């Protein structure tokens, strides 16, 4: 009888050929696999099926319709292909606009309206017809920040389901500057118990506004914590101190302000 070593699954013995007795060994297999490194494609070619559109990866291209793009990558002189069909979403309809006008600084009333029946559309307000700065992005149909000069905004609406933005619609807010006013006092310094006369005047060489005036100083003891609508206005402070009075000139939606300060000195002791 020949001596042999018998392995059900390859194991390890020091010298199976010299074994003098029959041996049956069952060992857990230990397989090791070695793979070559993945190969980098050396060339790319993109096609619509009817024409070649580029050879870079990634590739940027304008999409119209619903084309299928096929990329052929060459690896070790072997071509490999894959295809992709992008989803092309329609752009929203641009919003409608209502312009506004105002006198002086203020939050404009110009507004936009969505024409796509979106439930809660988002409007993007830009500084230019294309490019430019994004000034506001919200569901508000009006611009919510005060402006003081004539401004044209460019507004687009966004489809929340696709992220697509419409073309921009121009919205213009025309701002006229109010006539300036002066604020003067009959005395810069008075004694407690005396009164002072405050006077406002339109200083424009050719006035546009016909103002009505109101005087106010919120500081206790100023004598004008409630608005005084007289012009000139006689003010009698009730406490010593320094007071700054604000006069507001109003003509319809147009208004402007100015200030004047007085000092009220305490009465010396007898």
């Amino acid at each position: 009888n020949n001596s042999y070593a018998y392995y059900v699954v390859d194991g390890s013995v020091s010298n199976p050929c010299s074994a003098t007795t029959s041996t049956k060994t069952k060992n857990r297999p230990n397989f090791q696999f070695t793979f070559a490194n993945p190969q980098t494609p050396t060339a790319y070619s993109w096609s619509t099926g009817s024409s070649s559109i580029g050879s870079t990866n990634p590739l940027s291209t304008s999409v119209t319709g619903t084309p299928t793009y096929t990329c052929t990558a060459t690896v070790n002189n072997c071509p490999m292909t894959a295809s992709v069909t992008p989803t092309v979403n329609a752009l929203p309809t641009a919003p409608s606009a209502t312009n506004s006008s105002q006198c002086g600084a203020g939050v404009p009333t110009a507004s936009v309206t969505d024409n796509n029946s979106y439930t809660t559309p988002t409007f993007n307000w830009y500084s230019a017809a294309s490019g430019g700065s994004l000034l506001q992005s919200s569901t508000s149909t009006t611009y919510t920040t005060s402006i003081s000069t004539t401004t044209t905004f460019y507004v687009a609406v966004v489809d929340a389901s696709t992220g697509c933005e419409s073309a921009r619609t121009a919205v213009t807010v025309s701002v006229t500057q109010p006539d300036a006013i002066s604020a003067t006092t009959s005395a810069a310094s008075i004694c407690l118990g005396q009164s002072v006369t405050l006077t406002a005047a339109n200083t424009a060489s050719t006035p546009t506004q016909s103002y009505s005036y109101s005087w106010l100083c919120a500081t206790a003891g100023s004598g004008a914590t409630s608005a005084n609508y007289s012009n000139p206005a006689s003010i009698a402070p009730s406490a010593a101190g320094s007071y700054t009075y604000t006069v507001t000139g109003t003509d319809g939606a147009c208004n402007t302000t100015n200030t004047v300060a007085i000092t009220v000195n305490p009465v010396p002791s007898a």
Side-chain angles (χ1 to χ4, degrees):
N1 294 329
N2 295 326
S3 297
Y4 64 93
Y6 172 53
Y7 296 87
V8 174
V9 178
D10 186 26
S12 63
V13 296
S14 59
N15 189 0
C17 294
S18 63
T20 57
T21 59
S22 176
T23 303
K24 186 174 184 180
T25 305
K26 295 182 179 179
N27 292 333
R28 183 180 299 277
N30 181 13
F31 297 106
Q32 293 184 339
F33 298 93
T34 301
F35 296 92
N37 291 329
Q39 298 298 301
T40 301
T42 56
Y44 295 94
S45 176
W46 290 88
S47 171
T48 60
S50 59
S51 62
S52 177
I53 59 171
S55 59
T56 61
N57 187 54
L59 175 74
S60 178
T61 185
S62 298
V63 180
T64 56
T66 54
T68 295
Y69 298 104
T70 299
C71 179
T72 301
T74 302
V75 180
N76 289 337
N77 296 319
C78 295
M80 297 184 300
T81 63
S83 297
V84 61
T85 301
T87 299
V88 180
N89 298 299
L91 294 179
T93 301
S96 300
T98 300
N99 298 328
S100 69
S101 60
Q102 64 188 60
C103 181
V107 176
T109 59
S111 63
V112 292
T113 303
D114 172 47
N115 294 312
N116 301 278
S117 300
Y118 296 146
T119 303
T120 52
T122 294
F123 297 99
N124 289 340
W125 296 68
Y126 292 94
S127 62
S130 63
S133 300
L134 177 61
L135 305 175
Q136 175 179 297
S137 180
S138 71
T139 57
S140 175
T141 58
T142 62
Y143 191 68
T144 58
T145 302
S146 176
I147 63 172
S148 58
T149 59
T150 297
T151 304
T152 298
F153 302 98
Y154 300 88
V155 186
V157 65
V158 178
D159 184 342
S161 64
T162 64
C164 293
E165 184 179 272
S166 73
R168 302 177 189 180
T169 298
V171 188
T172 299
V173 181
S174 299
V175 180
T176 57
Q177 298 304 317
D179 296 341
I181 60 174
S182 62
T184 58
T185 175
S186 59
S189 178
I190 61 173
C191 292
L192 183 63
Q194 295 179 325
S195 62
V196 66
T197 299
L198 306 180
T199 303
N202 188 323
T203 61
S205 57
T206 304
T208 301
Q209 276 77 47
S210 178
Y211 291 124
S212 59
Y213 297 98
S214 63
W215 293 89
L216 185 67
C217 177
T219 306
S222 68
T225 53
S226 297
N228 185 322
Y229 294 98
S230 298
N231 189 58
S234 180
I235 306 296
S238 60
S242 295
Y243 302 101
T244 297
Y245 298 85
T246 298
V247 61
T248 301
T250 302
D251 180 11
C254 199
N255 61 78
T256 189
T257 63
N258 207 337
T259 61
V260 64
I262 69 167
T263 299
V264 179
N265 299 300
V267 177
S269 299

